[in-house]
Every structure is written in structure tokens, then in C-alpha cells.
Amino acid sequence: MGVEEQVRNLVVGALTDLAGSGVLPSEVTSAAFSVERPKRPEHGDLATNAALAIQKAAKKPPREIATLLAERLGKEPDIRAVEIAGPGFLNLRLAPAIYQRALGDVLAAGPSFGRGPAGLGERVLVEFVSANPTGPLLISHGRGAILGDAVSTLLEAVGHRVTREYYINDFGNQIRLLAASVLAVALGREPPEGGYGKNDYLEDLVAWLQKTHPELIADDKVDELARVCVTRMLDGVPGSKALPGIKKTLASLRIQFDGWYSEESLHRWGRVGAALAELNTRGYLEEREGALFFKSTDEGDDKDRVVKKRDGYYTYFASDIAYHADKINRGYDRLVNVLGADHHGYTARVRGALAALGLPKERFEVVLYQLVNLLRDGKPYKMGKRLGNLVTIEEVVDEIDEAARRKGAGADALRYFYLARRSDTTIDLDIELAKKASMDNPVFYLQYGYARLCSILRRAQEKFGLQVPRHSSALAARLEHPDELAILGRLGRFPGVVAEAAALREPHRILFYLQELSQDFQSYFTRLKKDGDTILPLDAQMAEAGWQEKWDRPKSEARLLWIEAIRTVYAAGLKLAGITALERMHKLEGEAAAAESGEEEAEAS
């Protein structure tokens, strides 16, 4: 339980005590109030507005209520001092024990710290990516893929049962254009209007088809060819760098889907026709000039939507209606779609269709994300090697992997840059920055923070034979440094951060938390070095005679236990973001940086 939650319980206990003794009415025990850190540290460790929040229910001036609360709270062993401020705020200074208890909570839970009970929440279907299977995934698709996966992971962490689903748009004009474009390349024709011109991935696809399915090209079998093309888009063309396959690309970003749902199957099994027939029975369809419209303005949309065109073809929205109805009919309590910002009107449209079908529209929600600006050395970068002015995910991932000399470095970089900002803000992804092994690179900085913790624990074992000790209240009591207590307080807040990030569908909150935790530890580490109060004896200290007698070994053991708790939470946060927790890292770039790293290595590794 976090420090804020512990203090909240103390305030609730004080209110219950005051109500039980008749000093305050019983209604005050159910009032909502805040417990938070003051903006200025000199105002205390935590502050609460409880006296102000309950003044109406208490029928007393807030400062009078604050005085009553201060008297009760001042008797609690976890609270060192209470100060009344302003119209009735309470500023609290806490005893070290309330922070030290967080150490035991983290170590007892281990890697599961911050997670809720599994399987007790809603059944949630998260649909994301769902890019048309007409080419390889581009760097712009990556944001939706990583955001959707991170939202899914957070929902799982707080106890929901999540299904990740990719909706394959394998029906309609774009798929027919793909097949016609393939035939044009194979037969030397001009590409169809609105089709796909000759490029690397089409040439690789055509070469493969000519070897494996020559009859489809020779006989102009567009429909059969379209199905084979979609399969290759998903699974890839063997040996092709230009067309590795959507599934392989997503796997390289550590994304695995539970289901792949075909739009074509909705038509094949009659679900689209059945959904439209139900809407027609309910009076929501209207024919105008040969086209069929869904009267979505009746359900709050800005205009009515075509579901069947004059040429007899269904629109994508007709499929979407049937698809989302099917999601609910499969028993999902919550439908989450992760979509680009250009789909801002999609929520009202789909909710309107669900409501018109008599289905619970409130189960549907959309998480929108903004565009990605690709940069190189701070300048716009738009030229891809394989698709001309389009840049694939593979190109960026491979380039970063090669620079870092580590498979997975590119996935880590994309996951960081795509999750470190709110989804409703535009991202600038600088490839050259993402390749740097320096503190200028925020991905490197984040992973270096974890590697440093591991390095300290290694040095303790290798140089001093110290393992992380078993937790005890006696060791926890040795953690008295203000920074140590403050970081324990931050560790205790982690479960709340996870719960809030999941509820708001905001994975960036996890990375913000890790960045602040890393900064806090860096500040502490630097301060100890300056004060000569190091976690472990330095080589220079060990060169002095009698250093063993001067060494406070129990304090070092307590700090190692504390570092293990930080490392545990840090690893849990990185796992939620899908970023590798590296136990060792290469030295920093540059001579000055390397010298700095050497200093730290002497202390920390």
C-alpha cells in the first residue's frame, strides 16, 4: 500500500473516531477528499483538504474541523507533525516507518508488484493496427501497434481479460486494386487507376507468384489472386526484405495478436446483410438516389452514412457495423479500438450503430493517436530505401539494431518514443538520436538506470561477497536518508500509477514514472558520492588501512535491499512498456563520457 493510501486510511480513521464520539456527524466518513504531495517540500511530506471537503456535512468551519483532525492525527506514530495551513489544509510530516513499510510490500510481491488480481475484471477486446493488407507496415503504423499493445498490457495488469485482435480489411475495392496492380506488374500493363505502382514489394510478390501460382496470373483470376496476395501480405514472401509480412513485423516489435478477424468472412457468413436487415426493421435505413444510408444523425453523428453504394457494393462502414455487433455478441464487456486521429468521428458513428441495433453502445471506446514525424539529426526524413518516399518499420528497426549491435534495440527505441508522450500529441522520432549510446538518448538513459542498479548488486557480490539480504524491519530501519525515504514513497505509489494509466488508457504515465524514479536515484547517487557516504566502499577507501572497521556493513546491506526493491519496480515498469530491462550496457559514447562512465563503474559495477 502506498504512503498516500496509508495516510488516507489514517484520516478516515480519525473522521470515524470523531463521528463515533459524536463530535462530527456520521456523513463525514463517506466524503471524498484528496491526499497529495505539496508543491513545496517545506510544507511537509503530504497534505490533505479533508477539513475543507467535509465542511458542509460537518456543519462546522473548516479550520475548526482541521483542529479536531490535527489533534487526532498527531497521536498516530506514523505522523511526526501536523500543521494547519490557510483556510483548513493539513500539512503532514511523516515518520520514517511509514516509508520503510513500502520496502516490505515491494519485496513480498516481487515482479507482480503493481498488478491487480488476475481475471477478475472485464472481458476486453482491443483492436489495433488493422492496416489494409496491401503493403508492408510503415513507421506510421508502428505507433498504433505499440500503443494498442501497451494499453492491452496495462488492462491485463489491473485484472482484465484481454484479447488482442487484428481486423483484416480483405474485402472491397482496395483488395481488388491490389490484385489488379499485381497483374499489371506481372504482365507489363499500366497500373489501374487508384492502384499500386511498380515497387520493390510488388516485384517480390510477383516473382513469388510466378513461381508458385502462375495459373492465377495467366488466367487473370483477380478474386483468387486477391486472397493469395492478402495471405502474402500477412505472412510475407520468403526471403523478401521488402515484404517480410505484417505478422513478422509486429513480432519484431514484440506484438502478438490473439486473433485475426477477416472482413471478408463477415460477408461470406451473411453477418453484414443480417445487421443491415435488423437496422432496416428498426427504421434506421433509407434509400436515397440508389444508395442505402444509415440514419446515424438520429444517434448523434454529424451526417448520415452510406452502407451500400449505388453500384451495389457495401461500404467499409457496413462491415464495421456487423463487426462491432459481432464483438458484443461474442461476450465482450468492453471494446477498445486504437485508431489514428483522423478517425475522430468514428466513436459517435459506431456507438450510433450499436444503439440502433439495440446493443449497449457504452461498451465501445476509441483511443486516438497523432502522427509521427520522422527526423534525422533534427531534420525531416521522408525517403525510404525500399518504398521511395515511404519508410517501413523494418528499415528503422534494422538501422537502430545495427548501430546498437543488439537485436531488439530498434524495438526498444520505437516503444519508448511512441509511448513516452500522450497519444494525442504528435511525436518527433529522430533516428540518429535513437541510435546514440549516450545520456542524450532518452531510451539509453532509461535502460542505463536499470543497468546501474544491477551493476551495484553485482559489485556487492563480486567484491564483498554480499548477497541481497532477507528483508527485516531492523534493516529497513537503517534507511534514514531523506532521498531513500522519498524513493520508498515513490515505489509505494507504483500500483496507483499502473491503475491510473490503465483506467485512462495512457501508457506514457508508466514511462514518466520510470524517468522520475531514475532521476531520483541519480540525484541520490551523486549526493552520496559528494558526501562520501557511498552505498559500498570505494576502491580508494579500501586502500586505507582499517577500512573494514570504518565500514557500516549493516547500512550497506539495508541499501542493497532498498536497491533490490527499486530494481524490482523498475523492471516491472519496463515490462509494462515492453522495453528490455538490460542488466549490462555498453559504455557511453565519447572520451569524456567514457571517463564519466569509468568513475561510475568504479562505484556501481
Side-chain angles (χ1 to χ4, degrees):
M1 184 184 296
V3 173
E4 287 86 349
E5 288 78 10
Q6 293 183 60
V7 170
R8 177 180 294 280
N9 288 342
L10 293 177
V11 175
V12 170
L15 290 172
T16 302
D17 185 30
L18 290 167
S21 60
V23 177
L24 294 176
S26 60
E27 290 79 5
V28 301
T29 59
S30 59
F33 60 89
S34 66
V35 175
E36 55 192 12
R37 288 168 292 163
K39 293 181 180 179
R40 297 172 62 178
E42 61 267 26
H43 289 166
D45 300 313
L46 289 175
T48 178
N49 68 342
L52 294 163
I54 69 170
Q55 59 180 308
K56 287 186 180 180
K59 299 178 181 178
K60 291 180 182 293
R63 282 191 69 90
E64 182 179 338
I65 302 169
T67 301
L68 293 170
L69 282 172
E71 182 182 351
R72 294 296 197 284
L73 293 172
K75 298 176 183 178
E76 296 289 344
D78 286 337
I79 295 181
R80 291 190 293 114
V82 185
E83 176 186 296
I84 301 172
F89 292 101
L90 290 176
N91 293 334
L92 310 173
R93 299 186 188 280
L94 308 179
I98 198 169
Y99 293 102
Q100 292 160 354
R101 281 198 292 274
L103 182 68
D105 292 342
V106 174
L107 295 172
S112 65
F113 184 71
R115 303 181 71 91
L120 298 182
E122 297 179 320
R123 285 194 67 211
V124 184
L125 190 150
V126 183
E127 182 216 326
F128 56 106
V129 188
S130 297
N132 284 341
T134 54
L137 291 181
L138 306 179
I139 198 67
S140 54
H141 296 127
R143 186 172 192 185
I146 289 170
L147 176 62
D149 187 57
V151 168
S152 300
T153 301
L154 283 170
L155 291 171
E156 288 171 331
V158 296
H160 298 300
R161 292 160 291 166
V162 177
T163 299
R164 294 164 171 83
E165 188 161 278
Y166 190 115
Y167 180 53
I168 308 169
N169 298 120
D170 56 351
F171 183 88
N173 191 49
Q174 287 302 313
I175 299 303
R176 290 191 296 273
L177 282 173
L178 172 64
S181 300
V182 166
L183 286 172
V185 172
L187 302 173
R189 303 172 182 167
E190 286 296 314
E193 184 179 353
Y196 302 86
K198 189 175 181 180
N199 55 49
D200 287 356
Y201 79 82
L202 278 187
E203 289 187 338
D204 286 359
L205 178 57
V206 167
W208 182 84
L209 287 167
Q210 287 172 332
K211 290 180 181 178
T212 59
H213 295 79
E215 74 284 356
L216 297 181
I217 294 173
D219 297 338
D220 273 12
K221 294 183 177 180
V222 175
D223 290 338
E224 291 181 42
L225 181 61
R227 286 193 291 273
V228 175
C229 288
V230 168
T231 300
R232 285 307 105 201
M233 291 296 168
L234 295 174
D235 295 349
V237 168
S240 171
K241 289 187 176 181
L243 197 60
I246 290 171
K247 291 181 179 180
K248 183 178 178 182
T249 298
L250 292 170
S252 74
L253 298 178
R254 307 183 190 113
I255 297 170
Q256 297 290 339
F257 281 90
D258 302 300
W260 298 76
Y261 196 106
S262 163
E263 180 188 1
E264 187 272 337
S265 73
L266 289 167
H267 294 271
R268 180 163 24 98
W269 294 107
R271 289 194 173 95
V272 176
L276 296 187
E278 180 66 18
L279 288 175
N280 190 50
T281 299
R282 291 170 174 266
Y284 280 96
L285 295 187
E286 183 177 282
E287 188 172 340
R288 303 173 195 167
E289 299 179 356
L292 195 60
F293 283 78
F294 166 56
K295 294 189 287 185
S296 54
T297 50
D298 292 354
E299 295 295 333
D301 198 0
D302 58 345
K303 64 178 181 179
D304 293 340
R305 305 289 171 174
V306 178
V307 291
K308 194 172 186 179
K309 296 180 287 186
R310 283 179 289 181
D311 59 10
Y313 284 110
Y314 290 110
T315 63
Y316 285 119
F317 184 54
S319 301
D320 287 345
I321 294 172
Y323 175 46
H324 288 89
D326 183 66
K327 288 181 182 182
I328 290 180
N329 291 331
R330 282 186 271 159
Y332 288 101
D333 304 305
R334 177 92 32 207
L335 316 178
V336 180
N337 284 19
V338 178
L339 300 168
D342 56 333
H343 290 77
H344 59 86
Y346 194 73
T347 305
R349 197 174 314 161
V350 173
R351 282 185 172 176
L354 292 175
L357 288 168
L359 298 173
K361 66 178 183 180
E362 66 279 0
R363 295 190 190 181
F364 177 72
E365 64 179 82
V366 171
V367 177
L368 296 175
Y369 61 91
Q370 285 287 349
L371 299 175
V372 177
N373 295 322
L374 197 60
L375 310 176
R376 193 179 287 278
D377 285 328
K379 298 177 182 178
Y381 174 70
K382 297 182 180 179
M383 295 301 293
K385 296 176 183 176
R386 298 170 190 156
L387 302 181
N389 64 340
L390 301 176
V391 182
T392 66
I393 290 173
E394 276 80 16
E395 287 183 65
V396 175
V397 167
D398 289 348
E399 184 173 341
I400 297 173
D401 281 355
E402 185 178 346
R405 302 189 302 280
R406 177 177 68 85
K407 186 71 174 175
D412 287 337
L414 287 187
R415 279 187 166 270
Y416 176 86
F417 281 100
Y418 284 167
L419 296 178
R421 295 288 181 270
R422 291 175 56 98
S423 62
D424 60 0
T425 59
T426 302
I427 289 176
D428 291 333
L429 171 58
D430 193 319
I431 297 176
E432 293 303 319
L433 176 62
K435 288 160 55 177
K436 286 185 177 180
S438 75
M439 292 302 188
D440 294 333
N441 179 358
V443 190
F444 186 95
Y445 180 88
L446 190 69
Q447 292 178 309
Y448 190 82
Y450 179 80
R452 168 182 280 169
L453 297 168
C454 296
S455 181
I456 293 172
L457 296 178
R458 274 199 308 275
R459 184 170 190 265
Q461 182 177 2
E462 293 169 0
K463 282 213 168 189
F464 303 96
L466 287 178
Q467 301 278 358
V468 175
R470 295 177 68 87
H471 174 260
S472 70
S473 56
L475 278 178
R478 296 301 303 268
L479 299 170
E480 299 177 313
H481 192 286
D483 288 356
E484 292 165 354
L485 299 178
I487 289 176
L488 284 174
R490 188 178 293 283
L491 297 184
R493 287 193 290 276
F494 183 65
V497 172
V498 175
E500 188 172 34
L504 298 175
R505 321 301 192 229
E506 293 183 344
H508 70 271
R509 292 175 180 269
I510 301 298
L511 290 183
F512 282 8
Y513 174 90
L514 292 178
Q515 288 165 346
E516 291 170 351
L517 180 60
S518 183
Q519 289 164 2
D520 286 351
F521 185 80
Q522 168 66 21
S523 175
Y524 163 84
F525 191 88
T526 302
R527 190 173 290 118
L528 286 194
K529 180 180 174 182
K530 182 178 179 181
D531 296 341
D533 180 21
T534 53
I535 298 169
L536 296 167
L538 302 179
D539 290 344
Q541 294 170 326
M542 293 167 64
E544 299 175 3
W547 69 269
Q548 293 95 334
E549 287 74 24
K550 297 177 183 178
W551 176 28
D552 189 343
R553 185 185 178 102
K555 179 186 277 191
S556 288
E557 290 179 334
R559 285 174 167 172
L560 292 178
L561 196 64
W562 174 73
I563 287 170
E564 174 63 14
I566 300 172
R567 191 192 67 81
T568 297
V569 174
Y570 211 124
L574 288 172
K575 186 175 182 179
L576 288 173
I579 296 173
T580 309
L582 295 173
E583 296 188 3
R584 297 176 184 269
M585 293 184 69
H586 296 300
K587 290 184 180 294
L588 304 174
E589 291 177 346
E591 294 180 3
E596 178 187 349
S597 178
E599 285 185 13
E600 293 184 351
E601 193 74 3
E603 292 185 20
S605 67

